[in-house]
């Protein structure tokens, strides 16, 4: 098969954290014997070379006359994932119009495209559906909703509902990675029976526990052998709920002082997080390490004893790929029961699920694992097993191909 992956984000350099899950899916398609073309807007920070793309063919298009202004996406399209950035609102029409014309030209040139796999319905499924219509190609369109696109459609009101139903809804297969997103999409007018739940996976051969990395990272961070390392990773936006976990540190440290919380990521909420720690006098238990290259992020998972994902419904979010990556490194998980966490974290099997915005419950479950090393180890082993059996890109890519052939019939 010839598969065109349409996205506005992709790792711009080797070991880039941005949209690394899309690259992993592309490489899994290739491993299964399919040809993959990445259709993506140009960006000034792109440094990838053909020889480090793993066989992915890249088609880049310009959408703005000034190259350095082509900065749409990469976590900056929406401020705190709550409201759109003004500059991105202005860039969006240019991106959609240019994308439609460029993809239309590409589809007319290469008539043998079988599947167009679109990530982020806004803008990419809009581009894909309209370009397919005018090119008259018979390629099937798969649409993935990571989360911010659902927020954008919801904020557009009636216009968003019309775009969802009349354009994006023309996709042959639509899916998201949380019940919260599915409910939001149904509210937008996407029929229930057209929506599926499919998570973003991980490559278990690339992301796995490494004892040498564990020792090196813990030494670098100054974590002693008898200390337990808690970890969170993601952008500092309200829906990730990091503030809830930081408020839980006071209760956790009051009963188990040998802890250190490592937080990977960045964002403008860091001031709010620091104020929580200052007010609770828990600064000494938390370390912000910023965004990390992928290799360093994977190594940090190996150093982790408990991974925490405290999502909030502000707004609806999908499953964070960091949860599955941590699981692949044999981490037990304590997470809230929203944001897709319930799709991969099984209560009492590989972790615990708690209500959102409840620091006490979160602390209680973390303390249960801190008090029982054998339970934590069992949960971690189960996490790894689940990734090897179900939550990896090879399994997920095969699922997409199976769906394609079912629809094709």
């Amino acid at each position: 098969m010839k598969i065109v992956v349409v996205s506005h984000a992709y790792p711009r350099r080797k070991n880039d954290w941005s949209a690394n899950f899309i690259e992993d899916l592309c490489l899994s398609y290739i491993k299964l014997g399919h040809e993959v073309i990445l259709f993506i807007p140009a960006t000034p920070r792109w440094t990838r070379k053909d020889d480090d793309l793993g066989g992915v063919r890249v088609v880049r298009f310009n959408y703005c006359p000034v190259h350095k202004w082509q900065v749409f996406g990469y976590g900056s399209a929406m401020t705190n994932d709550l409201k759109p950035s003004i500059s991105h609102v202005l860039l969006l029409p240019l991106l959609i119009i240019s994308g439609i014309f460029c993809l239309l030209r590409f589809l007319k040139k290469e008539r043998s495209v079988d599947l167009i796999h679109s990530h982020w319905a806004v803008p990419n499924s809009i581009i894909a559906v309209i370009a397919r219509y005018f090119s008259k190609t018979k390629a099937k369109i798969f649409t993935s909703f990571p989360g911010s696109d659902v927020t954008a459609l919801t904020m557009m009101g009636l216009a968003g509902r019309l775009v969802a139903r009349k354009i994006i809804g023309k996709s042959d297969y639509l899916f998201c990675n949380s019940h919260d997103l599915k409910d939001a999409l149904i509210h937008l007018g996407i029929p229930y029976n057209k929506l599926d739940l499919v998570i973003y996976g991980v490559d278990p051969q690339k992301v796995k526990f490494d004892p040498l990395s564990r020792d090196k990272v813990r030494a670098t961070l100054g974590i002693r052998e008898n200390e337990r390392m808690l970890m969170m990773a993601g952008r500092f936006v309200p829906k990730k709920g990091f503030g809830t976990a930081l408020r839980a540190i006071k209760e956790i440290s009051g009963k188990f002082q040998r802890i250190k919380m490592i937080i990977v990521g960045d964002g403008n909420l860091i001031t709010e997080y620091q104020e929580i720690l200052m007010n609770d006098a828990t600064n000494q238990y938390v370390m912000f390490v910023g965004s990390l290259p992928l290799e360093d992020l994977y190594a940090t998972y190996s150093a982790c004893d408990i991974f925490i994902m405290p999502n909030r419904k502000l707004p609806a979010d999908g499953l964070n790929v960091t949860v599955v990556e941590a699981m692949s490194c044999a981490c037990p998980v304590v997470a809230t029961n929203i944001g897709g966490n319930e799709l991969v974290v099984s209560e009492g099997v590989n972790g615990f699920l708690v209500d959102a915005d409840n620091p006490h419950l979160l602390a209680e479950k973390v303390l249960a694992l801190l008090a029982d090393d054998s339970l934590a180890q069992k949960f971690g082993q189960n996490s790894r097993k689940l990734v090897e059996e179900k939550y990896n890109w090879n399994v997920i890519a095969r699922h997409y191909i199976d769906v394609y052939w079912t629809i094709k019939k």
Side-chain angles (χ1 to χ4, degrees):
M1 289 172 56
K2 182 179 287 187
I3 302 172
V4 176
V5 174
V6 183
S7 177
H8 62 266
Y10 198 81
R12 293 159 290 185
R13 57 190 179 278
K14 209 166 184 180
N15 291 324
D16 187 4
W17 194 8
S18 300
N20 64 300
F21 57 92
I22 298 179
E23 180 169 32
D24 286 341
L25 173 59
C26 289
L27 296 177
S28 292
Y29 276 144
I30 289 173
K31 287 178 185 176
L32 293 174
H34 306 292
E35 180 184 353
V36 176
I37 301 100
L38 172 67
F39 185 82
I40 191 168
T43 177
R45 297 184 181 180
W46 183 272
T47 62
R48 301 295 293 270
K49 305 296 182 184
D50 290 345
D51 59 359
D52 78 344
L53 287 166
V56 177
R57 180 174 143 210
V58 179
V59 175
R60 300 169 68 214
F61 66 92
N62 291 300
Y63 59 95
C64 183
V66 182
H67 180 63
K68 67 179 181 180
W69 291 354
Q70 298 186 141
V71 294
F72 188 93
Y74 296 97
S76 59
M78 301 190 66
T79 303
N80 287 336
D81 277 12
L82 292 174
K83 60 181 181 179
S85 159
I86 298 300
S87 62
H88 283 66
V89 169
L90 297 174
L91 287 172
L92 182 60
L94 296 175
L95 177 57
I96 291 176
I97 294 169
S98 299
I100 290 170
F101 278 106
C102 292
L103 184 58
L104 173 60
R105 186 167 59 245
F106 176 84
L107 292 174
K108 284 185 173 181
K109 180 181 176 182
E110 302 204 22
R111 304 295 300 181
S112 58
V113 172
D114 300 290
L115 171 62
I116 303 172
H117 194 149
S118 171
H119 295 272
W120 286 285
V122 180
N124 302 304
S125 293
I126 299 172
I127 293 170
V129 170
I130 296 176
R132 179 181 68 172
Y133 176 81
F134 285 106
S135 70
K136 301 188 185 304
T137 180
K138 294 183 179 180
K140 303 300 181 184
I141 295 178
F142 286 8
T143 287
S144 169
F145 297 90
S148 57
D149 47 356
V150 180
T151 303
L153 287 167
T154 301
M155 293 179 64
M156 289 166 63
L158 177 59
R161 291 194 292 274
L162 288 172
V163 169
R165 291 198 304 267
K166 301 297 185 181
I167 300 178
I168 297 168
K170 299 296 183 183
S171 303
D172 299 282
Y173 182 53
L174 302 99
F175 50 95
C176 57
N177 56 1
S178 81
H179 291 286
D180 301 322
L181 289 179
K182 188 171 184 177
D183 290 343
L185 288 165
I186 292 169
H187 184 71
L188 285 166
I190 303 291
Y192 177 87
N193 59 2
K194 288 197 71 173
L195 284 166
D196 200 0
L197 289 169
V198 184
I199 71 160
Y200 291 136
V202 68
D203 180 350
Q205 300 307 313
K206 182 169 63 175
V207 187
K208 57 186 177 182
F209 176 78
D210 176 32
L212 294 179
S213 294
R214 177 180 176 86
D215 293 343
K216 182 178 179 181
V217 170
R218 290 172 72 93
T220 300
L221 296 175
I223 299 175
R224 300 183 182 90
E225 187 175 342
N226 67 340
E227 287 183 316
R228 296 294 178 266
M229 176 178 146
L230 316 180
M231 178 180 173
M232 295 191 295
R235 291 178 296 119
F236 295 175
V237 294
K239 66 184 182 182
K240 304 303 179 187
F242 287 2
T244 301
L246 292 176
R247 291 185 179 92
I249 293 294
K250 184 174 183 178
E251 183 174 346
I252 296 170
S253 61
K255 298 178 180 178
F256 194 104
Q257 293 187 341
R258 294 179 288 106
I259 60 163
K260 183 73 76 173
M261 168 76 85
I262 303 301
I263 305 179
V264 180
D266 55 31
N268 57 16
L269 289 185
I270 189 167
T271 302
E272 176 184 317
Y273 297 161
Q274 290 171 335
E275 286 178 358
I276 293 171
L277 298 174
M278 185 177 300
N279 292 337
D280 289 348
T282 52
N283 300 70
Q284 68 270 32
Y285 298 109
V286 178
M287 185 182 301
F288 296 93
V289 298
S291 294
L292 298 175
L294 276 179
E295 288 184 359
D296 292 345
L297 174 62
Y298 297 158
T300 305
Y301 290 132
S302 289
C304 170
D305 294 299
I306 302 172
F307 189 81
I308 300 174
M309 192 66 248
N311 296 79
R312 306 169 66 199
K313 220 169 183 177
L314 261 177
D317 196 12
L319 175 68
N320 292 265
V321 72
T322 54
V323 177
V324 193
E325 289 172 344
M327 288 170 54
S328 192
C329 292
C331 291
V333 181
V334 177
T336 49
N337 52 12
I338 60 173
N341 295 323
E342 72 282 0
L343 299 179
V344 297
V345 179
S346 297
E347 177 74 19
V349 175
N350 68 314
F352 293 119
L353 292 169
V354 301
D355 294 336
D357 295 314
N358 194 321
H360 171 69
L361 283 180
L362 188 70
E364 187 178 87
K365 296 302 183 181
V366 170
L367 285 166
L369 289 174
L370 290 172
D372 191 339
D373 288 342
S374 62
L375 180 64
Q377 185 177 20
K378 184 180 81 170
F379 281 6
Q381 291 170 347
N382 289 341
S383 282
R384 175 66 186 184
K385 185 177 180 181
L386 286 167
V387 169
E388 290 175 340
E389 293 178 351
K390 299 168 60 177
Y391 305 139
N392 64 80
W393 277 121
N394 285 341
V395 171
I396 296 166
R398 285 193 184 95
H399 166 75
Y400 290 142
I401 300 303
D402 290 344
V403 170
Y404 170 83
W405 287 114
T406 300
I407 294 172
K408 182 76 172 176
K409 293 175 183 177

